[in-house]
Amino acid sequence: MSQPKYIHALDIPVPVRAELDAGTQKYFALCDEKLGMVPNVLASYSFNAAKLRAFSDMYSELMLGESGLTKLEREMIAVAVSSVNNCFYCLTAHGAAVRELSGDPILGELMVMNYRAAELSPKQRAMLDFAYKLTKSPNEIEESDRQALRDAGWRDHDIWDISAAASFFNMSNRMASAIDMMPNEAYHSQAR
Amino acid sequence: MSQPKYIHALDIPVPVRAELDAGTQKYFALCDEKLGMVPNVLASYSFNAAKLRAFSDMYSELMLGESGLTKLEREMIAVAVSSVNNCFYCLTAHGAAVRELSGDPILGELMVMNYRAAELSPKQRAMLDFAYKLTKSPNEIEESDRQALRDAGWRDHDIWDISAAASFFNMSNRMASAIDMMPNEAYHSQAR
Amino acid sequence: MSQPKYIHALDIPVPVRAELDAGTQKYFALCDEKLGMVPNVLASYSFNAAKLRAFSDMYSELMLGESGLTKLEREMIAVAVSSVNNCFYCLTAHGAAVRELSGDPILGELMVMNYRAAELSPKQRAMLDFAYKLTKSPNEIEESDRQALRDAGWRDHDIWDISAAASFFNMSNRMASAIDMMPNEAYHSQAR
Amino acid sequence: MSQPKYIHALDIPVPVRAELDAGTQKYFALCDEKLGMVPNVLASYSFNAAKLRAFSDMYSELMLGESGLTKLEREMIAVAVSSVNNCFYCLTAHGAAVRELSGDPILGELMVMNYRAAELSPKQRAMLDFAYKLTKSPNEIEESDRQALRDAGWRDHDIWDISAAASFFNMSNRMASAIDMMPNEAYHSQAR
Amino acid sequence: MSQPKYIHALDIPVPVRAELDAGTQKYFALCDEKLGMVPNVLASYSFNAAKLRAFSDMYSELMLGESGLTKLEREMIAVAVSSVNNCFYCLTAHGAAVRELSGDPILGELMVMNYRAAELSPKQRAMLDFAYKLTKSPNEIEESDRQALRDAGWRDHDIWDISAAASFFNMSNRMASAIDMMPNEAYHSQAR
Amino acid sequence: MSQPKYIHALDIPVPVRAELDAGTQKYFALCDEKLGMVPNVLASYSFNAAKLRAFSDMYSELMLGESGLTKLEREMIAVAVSSVNNCFYCLTAHGAAVRELSGDPILGELMVMNYRAAELSPKQRAMLDFAYKLTKSPNEIEESDRQALRDAGWRDHDIWDISAAASFFNMSNRMASAIDMMPNEAYHSQAR
């Protein structure tokens, strides 16, 4: 009943792998190797190499680059933000990542459903409270909100990274919702 | 990290099974048999037999009694409503029920994350649209909303049942959030 | 102009009293005796004895059973919650109850219109602030909200009861709005 | 318990009648004669004759001047708007006016609680729907909203008056809430 | 492309100057002299002398009369409130006034876009925070909000004036949006 | 009074131009040449070359790359989205771009203040309505919203670009608000 209807709802066909440029083919082969799949978000963007590269470069820098935040913490932000925006694609893909990286399936569910129900360190809780407010009412963010992060133990470079991750998923959630992007089914059973 | 901290946050201890009255013990034995556990919501209420019975009677009538809605449809309403309210307990317990009853793990995720991403019959979609609006802005419900259900194929007795299920979870979500009720861990892995 | 159009908007006729089962007839006779009427909510449910009993049992336990909250306090919660949800039925019926139980007609109006304008004890004010937040944004309830109740003098069993009353009217408000339930006219002039 | 604590919460004493200028004294004498009281809103403004006159002139022109709307219709708008803003003062004073002008106590309650539950002509319903949207999301008003009023039978001069009345109470509600203005107690029992 | 389509969207023609009564002609001549134009809001109201005078009297008293607030502060409130309500007319006209009175074009933009980004004295910031909350959720204003103004250095008469200005623009914003009132083009380039 | 306090509020100093890597220096020289300045957003990101490049690559592809949308239309989306989020930085920078590209200063103001007040083609209006809804309630986007764009004359590739631009500014607005990023003052007077 609920099988993904399509990769996304627009009439912009996902190119056949063999027809992609060499760079994209190589990147997708790496995805296959590391993730066991090419995430549908990347397949969606592959109709245009420049758009794909812009998206994947930003994504990689943000989620995989050096940071005072662990990869798990960045994924926790991804999911908590996506929960506010009810983004099916991102909750599915990044919920799996939280389960995977934490080895804690319940933590993934908590981020999807309501991060306030999770037993987190005050530092991580402050991180998610900031991401939540930035998502819901960005116009009301004030110095006191940044200070709360510092008081919880985050450095200013970390505040940049928390802000950047939360902001990125506010973009990504909307792009996925705008075109009704469907996640790869494999995510659902990962790391349960 | 995310292990349930407690059954709920109030200083109202859950009684030992052996000390419960005979009726409750029998009811809990039935739960063990049918569900493989006593749901934490019932354990929470068991400090007071009258409260437990009132809750479980209403629940059973609503979710298990005769209706023009299938049990699965009632569970879909439960989860879609709980998604608006971000209720960790209800999303966990009733998300599992949707997976179980439908044999479709992805459908459970869709209800938790965003029912609009699911490929549903127009009739079921109308049912969830009504439950969503009734949850978000009950003051704006009008005759045209009821008529949309009739136009989608629901009879007036069904509208009662859709309304009653959606309303019940607006209660149950708030009770669980108010006392920070934690679901049994077993739900998370069920019917994946 | 504004005479109630019907008891509710669904095509589910309210049974004639004489055709109800003996238990319901007895219950309605008791209503006549105690309240001078059968509340329309009970008449509405009487098409199905199991639904009626489930509703009235929960209602009685909650609003009339033993509690650290007075009956008036529970009615104040009922009205303050119904004010957020703009429920005509519940504001009418429970507004009358607040006037009746308090002997203070203005208090009833204050609960209907804006409880913040009432001069309440800090303890009662904390109770209504909790009920208001639980109604508006249940997902944002935190331990600090429960602690505010404790600090105001409520015990944990009282927090259960405050939560249960506020949650119940979030159900009841939605059920009434969903089917456009009309209150008995007699309420309007009671205890003015 | 709920007796008005004061006329308003600011340290701006209401002048003694005898010390008011002749014009104000005459105006207040007229209020006594026509309404049996000086409304607290006027008493509040009387510390400054210019402010009082500005307020009362606008009020009189709007609510009592010539218009394609009846006085009752203007009062219905006053109350429906005040219901969105939960203004205790305006709901009390103008709820009484609706009861008085309509001779229908229940209509007053309906406007206070939820105008959608009232059985109104399509023309009056359109008027209140416009006032409701203009109150809740003025930024989203469009030509189609004005056209809906025309389609319901209102002329463009009436649309001006509907807009002006709804707008005025968005001011008046906020002024009353800002200073916690308390209505005269006499309103509560009027025209029940 | 974006040239004002009309002065407002209703079929209520703006009278020719020569046909206005003597008082209005004199008032408009004064506007020409002082402002270099007759603001479209006044032109709009000029079809009815009583409405025009009621509006302009209240406006003058509020924005130009004696007060513990400077004229600039009152204009800052006007713009910050109009920003919440996204009122094109008022943001344009009063944004120009802030630029003019402050000699600081950027301050005008800050009020239009987000007053929280401006570097203000704590006293002025408290003033705008109060106006913002009074605009967004008047029902939640409490004594603590008034006290915050006192703590920031405002006297109770000033709180009246802050409240009155914020309330007035909640009226004026809605009136302008209701009839799609267009500002005089000249405002846009003033005091840049 | 309102002079920008800093480029942003975090303790992450903006590097001196001479110390930037050659690529960034060249990029900034190009900015100087084309825009007459280095936008503060780029200066902010320049502490980390990878972050800067990821941001500027995505920005360039999106706003300057080939598209069925004109550059002006993309800037109109940028501003309309930023208006919902009240982002001072983006409203300032992209408001200037709308004025510049359209040669119509008022159009810039309309996008900043309320795009609904602008006289736009139905096609452009549909574009902004989609961007507005995607910003405010991404979870409620449905096929009918995409169809409205097609009906207004947009092709599916354009829907991708509309979605991508609206999504991008939901990221960018939040990043700017999170760190209180201040726009270059020069924007304010451009193309007035």
Side-chain angles (χ1 to χ4, degrees):
Chain A
M1 178 196 301
S2 64
Q3 293 317 299
K5 338 162 199 179
Y6 37 61
I7 288 191
H8 64 71
L10 298 185
D11 184 20
I12 302 179
V14 172
V16 185
R17 291 276 286 267
E19 290 172 7
L20 295 169
D21 65 274
T24 304
Q25 290 205 34
K26 204 169 142 190
Y27 179 46
F28 281 12
L30 197 71
C31 291
D32 279 337
E33 192 190 311
K34 288 219 173 172
L35 308 170
M37 62 170 137
V38 174
N40 281 348
V41 63
L42 301 180
S44 299
Y45 275 94
S46 68
F47 77 96
N48 182 306
K51 289 183 199 299
L52 173 61
R53 205 184 47 240
F55 178 84
S56 59
D57 281 1
M58 182 174 278
Y59 180 87
S60 298
E61 197 290 314
L62 211 63
M63 299 302 282
L64 307 173
E66 261 190 66
S67 170
L69 281 70
T70 64
K71 285 179 194 171
L72 173 57
E73 285 166 340
R74 287 175 267 179
E75 292 288 350
M76 287 165 69
I77 291 172
V79 185
V81 165
S82 304
S83 175
V84 176
N85 293 327
N86 288 105
C87 177
F88 179 56
Y89 187 99
C90 303
L91 286 168
T92 299
H94 296 279
V98 170
R99 296 194 303 270
E100 187 86 32
L101 289 169
S102 66
D104 181 351
I106 296 178
L107 185 64
E109 299 300 273
L110 279 157
M111 293 301 106
V112 167
M113 292 168 178
N114 191 338
Y115 75 88
R116 282 182 193 79
E119 195 161 26
L120 301 170
S121 70
K123 193 180 172 192
Q124 290 187 336
R125 176 60 194 261
M127 170 188 89
L128 295 181
D129 283 346
F130 186 88
Y132 178 84
K133 183 173 178 183
L134 187 59
T135 299
K136 287 271 266 202
S137 35
N139 69 310
E140 296 183 2
I141 288 282
E142 310 196 44
E143 185 59 18
S144 58
D145 297 302
R146 285 180 287 272
Q147 194 53 45
L149 287 176
R150 293 184 193 107
D151 294 345
W154 296 104
R155 297 167 314 118
D156 277 37
H157 277 85
D158 304 332
I159 299 179
W160 179 287
D161 290 354
I162 292 169
S163 302
S167 297
F168 180 84
F169 285 95
N170 271 287
M171 173 178 71
S172 211
N173 291 171
R174 283 176 175 80
M175 190 64 200
S177 294
I179 68 170
D180 201 20
M181 197 186 287
M182 288 290 126
N184 310 51
E185 287 189 40
Y187 285 124
H188 293 290
S189 54
Q190 279 179 359
R192 291 287 177 190
Chain B
M1 176 198 302
S2 63
Q3 293 317 299
K5 337 160 199 177
Y6 37 61
I7 288 193
H8 63 73
L10 299 186
D11 184 18
I12 303 180
V14 172
V16 186
R17 289 277 284 266
E19 289 172 7
L20 295 169
D21 65 275
T24 304
Q25 290 205 32
K26 204 169 141 188
Y27 179 46
F28 281 13
L30 198 71
C31 291
D32 279 337
E33 193 191 311
K34 288 218 172 171
L35 309 170
M37 62 169 135
V38 173
N40 281 349
V41 62
L42 301 181
S44 300
Y45 274 96
S46 69
F47 77 95
N48 182 307
K51 288 182 199 303
L52 173 61
R53 207 185 46 238
F55 178 83
S56 59
D57 281 2
M58 183 176 276
Y59 179 87
S60 299
E61 198 289 315
L62 212 62
M63 299 302 281
L64 308 173
E66 262 190 63
S67 171
L69 282 70
T70 64
K71 285 178 195 173
L72 173 58
E73 286 167 340
R74 287 176 266 179
E75 292 290 348
M76 289 166 69
I77 292 172
V79 185
V81 165
S82 303
S83 176
V84 177
N85 293 326
N86 287 106
C87 177
F88 179 56
Y89 187 98
C90 303
L91 286 167
T92 299
H94 296 279
V98 169
R99 297 194 303 269
E100 187 86 32
L101 288 169
S102 66
D104 180 352
I106 297 178
L107 184 64
E109 299 300 272
L110 280 158
M111 293 301 106
V112 166
M113 293 168 177
N114 192 338
Y115 75 87
R116 282 182 192 79
E119 194 160 26
L120 301 170
S121 69
K123 193 179 172 192
Q124 289 187 336
R125 176 62 194 262
M127 170 187 88
L128 295 181
D129 283 345
F130 187 89
Y132 178 83
K133 182 173 180 185
L134 187 58
T135 299
K136 286 273 263 202
S137 34
N139 69 310
E140 296 183 3
I141 288 282
E142 310 196 46
E143 185 58 17
S144 58
D145 297 301
R146 284 179 288 273
Q147 193 54 44
L149 287 175
R150 291 184 194 109
D151 294 346
W154 296 104
R155 297 167 314 120
D156 277 36
H157 278 84
D158 303 332
I159 299 178
W160 179 287
D161 290 354
I162 291 168
S163 302
S167 298
F168 180 84
F169 284 96
N170 272 287
M171 173 177 72
S172 211
N173 290 172
R174 284 177 174 79
M175 190 64 201
S177 294
I179 68 171
D180 201 22
M181 198 186 287
M182 287 291 126
N184 309 52
E185 287 189 41
Y187 285 123
H188 292 291
S189 54
Q190 280 178 359
R192 292 288 179 191
Chain C
M1 179 198 300
S2 64
Q3 294 316 300
K5 340 162 197 176
Y6 37 61
I7 289 192
H8 64 71
L10 299 186
D11 184 18
I12 303 180
V14 172
V16 185
R17 290 277 284 268
E19 289 172 8
L20 295 169
D21 65 275
T24 304
Q25 291 206 31
K26 205 169 141 188
Y27 179 45
F28 281 13
L30 197 71
C31 291
D32 279 336
E33 193 190 310
K34 289 217 172 174
L35 309 170
M37 63 172 137
V38 173
N40 281 349
V41 62
L42 301 181
S44 300
Y45 274 96
S46 69
F47 78 95
N48 182 308
K51 288 182 200 302
L52 173 61
R53 206 183 46 238
F55 178 84
S56 59
D57 281 2
M58 182 175 277
Y59 180 86
S60 299
E61 198 291 314
L62 213 62
M63 298 303 280
L64 308 173
E66 263 190 62
S67 170
L69 281 71
T70 64
K71 284 178 195 173
L72 173 58
E73 285 167 339
R74 286 175 267 179
E75 293 289 350
M76 288 166 69
I77 292 172
V79 185
V81 165
S82 303
S83 176
V84 176
N85 293 325
N86 288 104
C87 177
F88 178 56
Y89 187 99
C90 303
L91 286 168
T92 299
H94 295 280
V98 169
R99 296 194 303 269
E100 186 87 32
L101 288 169
S102 66
D104 180 351
I106 298 178
L107 185 64
E109 298 300 273
L110 280 158
M111 293 301 107
V112 166
M113 292 168 177
N114 192 339
Y115 75 88
R116 282 182 193 79
E119 194 161 26
L120 301 170
S121 70
K123 193 179 173 192
Q124 289 187 336
R125 176 61 194 262
M127 170 187 88
L128 295 181
D129 283 345
F130 187 88
Y132 178 83
K133 182 173 180 185
L134 187 58
T135 299
K136 286 272 265 202
S137 35
N139 69 310
E140 295 183 3
I141 288 282
E142 308 198 46
E143 185 57 19
S144 58
D145 297 302
R146 284 179 289 272
Q147 194 53 46
L149 287 175
R150 291 184 194 108
D151 294 346
W154 296 104
R155 298 168 313 119
D156 277 37
H157 278 85
D158 304 332
I159 299 178
W160 180 286
D161 290 354
I162 291 168
S163 303
S167 297
F168 180 84
F169 285 95
N170 271 287
M171 173 178 72
S172 211
N173 291 171
R174 284 176 175 79
M175 190 64 201
S177 294
I179 67 171
D180 200 20
M181 197 186 286
M182 287 291 125
N184 309 53
E185 287 190 39
Y187 284 124
H188 292 291
S189 53
Q190 280 179 359
R192 291 288 177 191
Chain D
M1 177 198 299
S2 63
Q3 292 318 299
K5 337 163 199 178
Y6 37 63
I7 288 191
H8 64 70
L10 299 186
D11 184 18
I12 302 179
V14 172
V16 185
R17 290 275 286 267
E19 290 173 6
L20 295 169
D21 65 273
T24 305
Q25 290 204 33
K26 203 169 143 190
Y27 178 46
F28 281 12
L30 197 70
C31 291
D32 279 336
E33 192 190 311
K34 287 218 172 173
L35 309 169
M37 62 171 139
V38 174
N40 281 348
V41 63
L42 301 181
S44 299
Y45 275 95
S46 68
F47 78 95
N48 182 307
K51 289 183 200 301
L52 173 61
R53 206 184 45 240
F55 178 84
S56 59
D57 281 1
M58 183 176 276
Y59 180 85
S60 298
E61 197 290 314
L62 211 62
M63 299 302 281
L64 307 174
E66 260 189 66
S67 171
L69 282 70
T70 64
K71 285 179 193 172
L72 173 57
E73 285 167 340
R74 286 176 267 178
E75 293 289 349
M76 288 165 69
I77 291 172
V79 185
V81 165
S82 303
S83 176
V84 176
N85 293 327
N86 288 105
C87 177
F88 180 55
Y89 187 98
C90 303
L91 287 167
T92 298
H94 296 279
V98 170
R99 296 194 303 270
E100 187 86 31
L101 289 169
S102 66
D104 180 352
I106 297 179
L107 185 64
E109 299 300 273
L110 280 158
M111 293 301 105
V112 166
M113 292 168 177
N114 192 337
Y115 75 88
R116 282 183 193 78
E119 194 161 24
L120 301 170
S121 70
K123 193 179 173 194
Q124 290 187 334
R125 175 60 194 262
M127 170 188 89
L128 295 180
D129 283 345
F130 187 87
Y132 178 84
K133 183 173 179 184
L134 187 59
T135 299
K136 288 271 266 202
S137 34
N139 70 310
E140 297 183 2
I141 288 283
E142 310 196 45
E143 185 58 18
S144 58
D145 297 302
R146 285 179 288 272
Q147 194 53 45
L149 287 176
R150 292 184 194 109
D151 294 345
W154 296 104
R155 297 167 314 118
D156 277 37
H157 277 84
D158 304 331
I159 299 179
W160 179 286
D161 290 353
I162 292 169
S163 302
S167 297
F168 179 84
F169 284 95
N170 272 287
M171 173 178 71
S172 211
N173 291 172
R174 282 175 176 81
M175 190 65 200
S177 294
I179 67 170
D180 201 21
M181 196 186 288
M182 287 291 126
N184 310 51
E185 285 189 41
Y187 284 124
H188 293 292
S189 54
Q190 279 179 357
R192 292 287 179 192
Chain E
M1 177 196 301
S2 64
Q3 294 319 299
K5 337 162 200 178
Y6 38 61
I7 289 192
H8 64 71
L10 297 186
D11 183 19
I12 302 180
V14 172
V16 185
R17 289 276 284 267
E19 290 172 8
L20 295 169
D21 64 276
T24 304
Q25 290 204 34
K26 203 170 144 189
Y27 179 45
F28 281 11
L30 197 71
C31 291
D32 279 337
E33 192 191 312
K34 289 218 172 173
L35 309 170
M37 63 172 135
V38 174
N40 281 348
V41 63
L42 300 181
S44 300
Y45 274 96
S46 69
F47 78 95
N48 182 308
K51 289 182 200 301
L52 173 62
R53 205 184 47 238
F55 178 84
S56 60
D57 281 1
M58 183 176 276
Y59 180 85
S60 299
E61 197 290 315
L62 211 62
M63 298 302 281
L64 308 173
E66 261 190 64
S67 170
L69 281 70
T70 64
K71 284 179 195 173
L72 172 58
E73 286 166 340
R74 286 175 268 179
E75 292 289 350
M76 288 165 70
I77 291 172
V79 186
V81 165
S82 303
S83 175
V84 177
N85 293 327
N86 288 106
C87 177
F88 179 57
Y89 187 99
C90 303
L91 287 167
T92 298
H94 296 279
V98 169
R99 295 194 303 270
E100 187 86 31
L101 289 169
S102 66
D104 180 351
I106 297 179
L107 185 64
E109 298 300 272
L110 280 157
M111 293 301 107
V112 167
M113 292 167 177
N114 192 338
Y115 75 87
R116 283 184 192 78
E119 194 160 25
L120 301 170
S121 69
K123 193 179 172 192
Q124 289 187 336
R125 175 62 193 260
M127 170 188 88
L128 295 181
D129 283 345
F130 187 87
Y132 178 83
K133 183 174 179 183
L134 187 59
T135 299
K136 286 272 265 202
S137 34
N139 68 309
E140 295 184 2
I141 289 284
E142 310 197 44
E143 184 58 19
S144 58
D145 297 302
R146 286 179 287 272
Q147 193 54 45
L149 288 175
R150 292 184 194 108
D151 294 345
W154 296 103
R155 297 168 314 117
D156 277 38
H157 277 85
D158 304 332
I159 299 178
W160 179 287
D161 290 354
I162 292 168
S163 302
S167 298
F168 180 85
F169 285 95
N170 272 287
M171 173 177 72
S172 212
N173 290 171
R174 282 177 176 79
M175 190 64 201
S177 294
I179 68 171
D180 201 21
M181 197 186 286
M182 287 291 125
N184 310 50
E185 286 189 42
Y187 284 124
H188 293 291
S189 54
Q190 280 179 358
R192 292 286 178 192
Chain F
M1 176 197 301
S2 64
Q3 293 319 298
K5 339 162 200 179
Y6 38 61
I7 289 192
H8 63 72
L10 298 186
D11 183 19
I12 303 179
V14 172
V16 185
R17 289 277 285 267
E19 289 172 9
L20 295 169
D21 65 275
T24 304
Q25 290 204 33
K26 204 169 140 189
Y27 179 46
F28 281 11
L30 197 71
C31 291
D32 280 336
E33 193 191 308
K34 290 218 171 174
L35 309 170
M37 63 170 135
V38 174
N40 282 349
V41 63
L42 301 181
S44 300
Y45 275 95
S46 69
F47 78 95
N48 181 307
K51 289 183 200 301
L52 173 61
R53 205 185 45 239
F55 178 84
S56 58
D57 281 1
M58 183 176 276
Y59 180 86
S60 300
E61 198 290 315
L62 211 61
M63 298 303 281
L64 308 172
E66 260 189 65
S67 170
L69 281 69
T70 64
K71 284 178 196 173
L72 173 57
E73 285 167 340
R74 286 175 269 179
E75 292 289 350
M76 288 165 70
I77 292 172
V79 186
V81 165
S82 303
S83 176
V84 177
N85 293 327
N86 288 105
C87 178
F88 179 57
Y89 187 99
C90 303
L91 287 167
T92 298
H94 296 279
V98 169
R99 296 194 302 270
E100 188 86 31
L101 289 169
S102 66
D104 180 353
I106 297 178
L107 185 64
E109 300 300 273
L110 280 158
M111 294 300 107
V112 167
M113 292 167 177
N114 191 339
Y115 75 87
R116 282 182 193 79
E119 194 160 28
L120 301 169
S121 69
K123 193 179 173 193
Q124 289 186 337
R125 175 63 194 261
M127 170 188 88
L128 295 181
D129 283 344
F130 187 88
Y132 178 84
K133 182 174 180 183
L134 187 59
T135 299
K136 287 272 264 203
S137 34
N139 69 309
E140 296 183 2
I141 289 283
E142 309 196 46
E143 185 58 19
S144 58
D145 297 301
R146 286 180 287 272
Q147 194 54 45
L149 288 175
R150 292 184 193 108
D151 294 346
W154 296 104
R155 298 167 314 117
D156 277 38
H157 278 84
D158 304 332
I159 299 179
W160 180 286
D161 290 354
I162 292 168
S163 302
S167 298
F168 180 84
F169 285 96
N170 271 287
M171 173 177 72
S172 213
N173 290 172
R174 282 177 176 79
M175 190 64 201
S177 295
I179 68 171
D180 201 21
M181 197 186 286
M182 288 290 125
N184 311 51
E185 286 190 40
Y187 285 124
H188 292 291
S189 53
Q190 281 180 357
R192 291 288 177 192

